[in-house]
Amino acid sequence: MNLAIRDIRHNAGRFAFTSVGIGLLLMIVMGMGGIYRGLIHEATLLVDSVGADLWIVQGSTRGPFAEISRIPANLEDRVRAVPGVAQARRFVSHTIQREHQGQPLRMVVQGLSWPEDRGDWITLVAGRPLRQAHYEMIADQSLKLPLGSHIRLGKDFYQVVGLTRGMVGTGGDGLTFFTVSDAMAIQFDQPGEATRLERAARRARVEAVDLGRLQPLLLDRADGMAEGIPALAPPQVSAVLVTLRPGADVATVRRTLATWPDITVYSTQEQKDLLLSGMVDKAKRQLGLFRALLIIISTIIIALIIYTLTLDKIRDIAMLKLIGARNGVIGGLILQQALLMGAFGYALAWWIGQYAFPKFPRLVLIDPADLVSLAIIVVVISTLASLLGIWKAMNVEPNTVLSA
Amino acid sequence: MKPPPAVEVTHLRKVYGSGHTEVVAMRDATLSIVPGEIVGMFGPSGSGKSTLLTAMALINPPTSGQISISGQPVMDGPRALVDLRAFRRQHLGFVFQKANLIPFLTALENVQIALEVNDTAPKLARKRAMELLDYLGVGPRANNLPVALSGGEQQRVAVARALANEPSLILADEPTAALDGPLGRQVMELFAKIAHEKNAGVIVVTHDHRTLDVFDRILDVEDGMIQIRPHSSPPDCK
């Protein structure tokens, strides 16, 4: 006869309420793990899907995911000349926040190296990749920009021609894909007045030096576009992505590139590791601490409830001892109740999570291995939580049954 | 061959507390109950009846003296000579003023659990428990929780639980105190029937003098001393 189940049946309401409480706590524990997995997934999604063999970033920096990286856009031409390199693409990535239909809209702007890269590698849920050099964009569904809609960024309007799902940046903002030149136009957009002021300042600087007076053409150039002045730096990009020829030796190509003092080369795995050891690592520790705290709280709650349930039936336990029930029967009653409470709580956590997690603003990714490890944790904490009740029960004298 | 006494108590003394708080609850009790005998134990409150009963129930060790049950020495002073819990399981049955049924078990399960803790297979335990409830007239209430049973029905279930493992000694502490007169008498007659039919020694602590005729022998306990009331003697001595 299973005493635990009969007692639970008798105290069904109390057991159910406690299990719901435990379940909600465990759901948060489960969710924290899921948020961490989601963070990793989102953080590495772009690095994984962009499919580069090597990442070339500004010398002595850790790349665009860790800090600001600026390298000249024409570096890709130099890289293409390295033996073993099949393709080099400019990579531009930056986050912007604009207003759209009266609401703030944050997005990660990714530049595709048009015309080589039109975004064919991006998994679309609707629409198509880019088909023209300007004014088209692919957006993630999380940005809630409908297919075919137009959005003004800087001075230009861009049409949403493709939609992705679940493609977000490390900060959880939806990714958008433009051609590199559009991405840079969005990044470096400044008001007309600022351009006029910059050109006036430039002219004043040139007029102030002998060279300006000796070379009148320079004064004319100073009034024009920045691209028309050879002495000014070419446009900057965040990184250059390298795809190697089939059979090319990564180490050899890397060794060659490593001799260039103005850049640093990372493999895709190194770029991911940098990403994960940076911002994700802190989030991981934070979430881990919260999980540990919640597990401790769950243990204490289960322990207190089990202890209270044990106190409630102290006379029954004394009666069981009086009629000769072994300690195993009495301990089993309490342990099984704790385990059942944990199991119900766990099942409830999983069930609620199925509905709740998709509604979270960030991706919550529940890994089966995490579910198994949490199940083991629940068994352990339920067992620990029952110890207090078992200790109390073991110390009950059979003659307690005679007390009023 | 003469069967051993259901219970034999020799020079039992029980002292609670020590020093100036010392209370002598039982001074020098010597007592023997034979199988099939029902003994009534009378005495005012605080006379030591319950102390003697709980000592024989092996849940209140004496300060000195010996207790043997079914011929087996079980207590020598405060020292247990056997595994008390296992011994209680196999040899003793208890009924109290309150039925003390486990509230989350049905009447049937309350009896069944006593059998299962004594290693009876669940199926057999269920069958035996049902037979006992039928024997005591509460079979139709077998699947009710204690809360749905009347006081008399609860007490009958408690008696069934006490009988479950066919104990050689049944100890009842004011089992009719919570029952009305006719029902109390019914329960007392039931104990007598059990003693005679099941050949068990039955000791009943009671204040109810209307049931004197039920007992084979009457013990008066006063100030920690036992006196056998005149004209009452063990069945084989009558």
Side-chain angles (χ1 to χ4, degrees):
Chain A
M1 186 189 307
N2 191 303
L3 294 174
I5 287 176
R6 280 165 176 80
D7 186 30
I8 287 169
R9 206 169 51 191
H10 190 65
N11 292 298
R14 190 173 181 179
F15 183 83
F17 274 116
T18 309
S19 295
V20 168
I22 300 293
L24 290 174
L25 275 172
L26 291 177
M27 187 197 78
I28 299 171
V29 174
M30 207 178 268
M32 294 268 181
I35 289 169
Y36 168 62
R37 294 279 175 208
L39 271 181
I40 292 177
H41 177 80
E42 287 175 345
T44 56
L45 182 70
L46 184 66
V47 182
D48 279 334
S49 33
V50 82
D53 294 314
L54 293 171
W55 289 66
I56 298 175
V57 303
Q58 183 181 335
S60 305
T61 72
R62 303 286 172 147
F65 300 114
E67 56 187 308
I68 291 173
S69 165
R70 290 275 171 263
I71 52 175
N74 60 11
L75 183 74
E76 68 175 329
D77 301 321
R78 282 164 61 195
V79 174
R80 281 197 191 105
V82 174
V85 172
Q87 190 189 32
R89 289 173 283 161
R90 286 164 288 165
F91 179 82
V92 172
S93 179
H94 56 271
T95 303
I96 59 169
Q97 180 169 329
R98 301 292 154 87
E99 192 149 311
H100 179 64
Q101 295 179 340
Q103 296 289 322
L105 182 67
R106 278 181 69 83
M107 62 176 82
V108 181
V109 174
Q110 295 291 145
L112 298 177
S113 188
W114 178 275
E116 296 86 6
D117 186 357
R118 298 164 184 240
D120 296 310
W121 52 272
I122 302 166
T123 308
L124 300 176
V125 291
R128 57 169 175 79
L130 304 183
R131 281 199 193 137
Q132 60 186 46
H134 293 289
Y135 314 127
E136 284 192 347
M137 65 184 282
I138 296 167
D140 187 69
Q141 275 183 329
S142 61
L143 294 167
K144 296 187 171 60
L145 297 172
L147 194 66
S149 65
H150 289 79
I151 177 171
R152 183 175 178 157
L153 297 168
K155 296 181 184 63
D156 301 309
F157 282 91
Y158 297 87
Q159 186 185 11
V160 179
V161 296
L163 290 176
T164 61
R165 181 184 293 150
M167 291 201 83
V168 296
T170 51
D173 304 312
L175 291 182
T176 51
F177 298 89
F178 302 80
T179 60
V180 165
S181 52
D182 281 352
M184 291 169 76
I186 294 165
Q187 185 180 10
F188 300 115
D189 172 62
Q190 54 183 5
E193 182 59 15
T195 306
R196 278 190 291 278
L197 288 171
E198 165 57 22
R199 287 176 184 176
R202 209 186 289 155
R203 186 179 180 92
R205 283 199 300 275
V206 176
E207 282 174 342
V209 295
D210 289 344
L211 187 63
R213 288 190 287 272
L214 291 170
Q215 299 287 339
L217 264 178
L218 270 181
L219 284 176
D220 294 342
R221 288 287 175 97
D223 287 336
M225 292 192 299
E227 288 83 352
I229 307 172
L232 292 181
Q236 305 272 295
V237 294
S238 307
V240 168
L241 311 183
V242 178
T243 308
L244 300 181
R245 289 183 194 286
D249 181 28
V250 181
T252 308
V253 176
R254 208 173 159 171
R255 257 197 311 277
T256 307
L257 292 170
T259 59
W260 300 0
D262 58 334
I263 58 156
T264 302
V265 185
Y266 293 109
S267 66
T268 297
Q269 188 55 47
E270 285 170 335
Q271 194 59 219
K272 277 167 71 173
D273 292 344
L274 282 170
L275 195 63
L276 297 179
S277 63
M279 59 170 288
V280 177
D281 184 57
K282 278 187 183 158
K284 173 189 174 182
R285 277 185 278 162
Q286 181 114 331
L287 290 169
L289 267 175
F290 269 120
R291 290 185 86 189
L293 278 174
L294 286 169
I295 286 168
I296 291 168
I297 292 167
S298 303
T299 311
I300 292 169
I301 289 176
I302 298 177
L304 286 177
I305 294 294
I306 290 295
Y307 185 70
T308 313
L309 284 172
T310 306
L311 286 184
D312 283 354
K313 51 178 177 282
I314 214 79
R315 281 172 67 93
D316 305 328
I317 289 168
M319 190 67 217
L320 285 169
K321 283 190 169 183
L322 186 70
I323 63 173
R326 293 173 179 86
N327 284 340
V329 172
I330 296 160
L333 159 69
I334 297 163
L335 176 63
Q336 284 169 32
Q337 281 189 337
L339 288 172
L340 281 169
M341 199 171 275
F344 273 106
Y346 178 83
L348 203 68
W350 180 83
W351 183 73
I352 297 173
Q354 300 293 303
Y355 297 96
F357 293 152
K359 293 182 172 59
F360 279 32
R362 294 294 300 263
L363 176 68
V364 181
L365 204 60
I366 303 297
D367 190 77
D370 289 346
L371 285 177
V372 172
S373 61
L374 183 61
I376 293 168
I377 288 170
V378 168
V379 170
V380 172
I381 67 170
S382 301
T383 306
L384 286 176
S386 69
L387 293 180
L388 189 64
I390 291 173
W391 170 81
K392 181 70 186 172
M394 292 302 116
N395 285 301
V396 172
E397 290 295 331
N399 56 17
T400 308
V401 81
L402 301 175
S403 58
Chain B
M1 190 179 152
K2 198 177 169 186
V7 62
E8 191 167 24
V9 175
T10 315
H11 302 301
L12 188 138
R13 179 178 163 82
K14 177 70 185 181
V15 179
Y16 293 108
S18 59
H20 67 280
T21 61
E22 184 178 289
V23 175
V24 181
M26 188 53 59
R27 292 183 186 282
D28 182 15
T30 296
L31 164 72
S32 179
I33 310 286
V34 297
E37 182 184 17
I38 177 165
V39 173
M41 200 186 288
F42 288 79
S45 292
S47 60
K49 304 186 301 289
S50 292
T51 298
L52 180 58
L53 197 81
T54 52
M56 288 188 285
L58 310 180
I59 55 176
N60 187 12
T63 309
S64 63
Q66 290 82 40
I67 301 172
S68 296
I69 293 173
S70 296
Q72 185 172 351
V74 287
M75 296 297 293
D76 184 8
R79 192 164 62 92
L81 303 175
V82 292
D83 175 352
L84 295 182
R85 208 184 293 186
F87 198 86
R88 280 199 303 270
R89 193 160 62 222
Q90 289 157 3
H91 295 276
L92 302 182
F94 308 92
V95 183
F96 302 101
Q97 183 175 338
K98 283 183 179 173
N100 284 318
L101 299 180
I102 296 172
F104 53 86
L105 300 181
T106 62
L108 180 68
E109 289 165 345
N110 262 286
V111 183
Q112 192 182 337
I113 188 72
L115 286 153
E116 284 193 19
V117 297
N118 199 23
D119 299 328
T120 308
K123 230 176 183 175
L124 186 62
R126 199 171 177 81
K127 184 170 171 282
R128 170 103 180 102
M130 197 62 225
E131 284 169 4
L132 279 166
L133 291 178
D134 283 334
Y135 174 71
L136 293 163
V138 278
R141 309 286 277 152
N143 293 317
N144 286 89
L145 288 172
V147 72
L149 302 177
S150 70
E153 286 170 332
Q154 287 188 26
Q155 204 60 297
R156 281 162 187 265
V157 175
V159 173
R161 180 176 61 191
L163 291 176
N165 291 307
E166 299 182 343
S168 50
L169 179 64
I170 295 172
L171 302 163
D173 190 4
E174 301 190 39
T176 60
L179 308 177
D180 58 29
L183 197 57
R185 180 158 188 94
Q186 262 186 24
V187 171
M188 285 301 190
E189 285 173 351
L190 187 62
F191 277 123
K193 184 180 165 193
I194 289 162
H196 301 143
E197 287 184 2
K198 309 277 181 188
N199 204 33
V202 178
I203 302 175
V204 182
V205 170
T206 181
H207 289 108
D208 189 356
H209 288 269
R210 291 171 300 179
T211 55
L212 284 174
D213 60 303
V214 171
F215 301 112
D216 297 321
R217 194 153 46 126
I218 295 162
L219 306 177
D220 286 310
V221 182
E222 196 159 356
D223 200 20
M225 301 287 284
I226 299 177
Q227 282 190 324
I228 299 173
R229 197 172 288 189
H231 313 301
S232 71
S233 56
D236 57 348
C237 303
K238 275 183 179 175

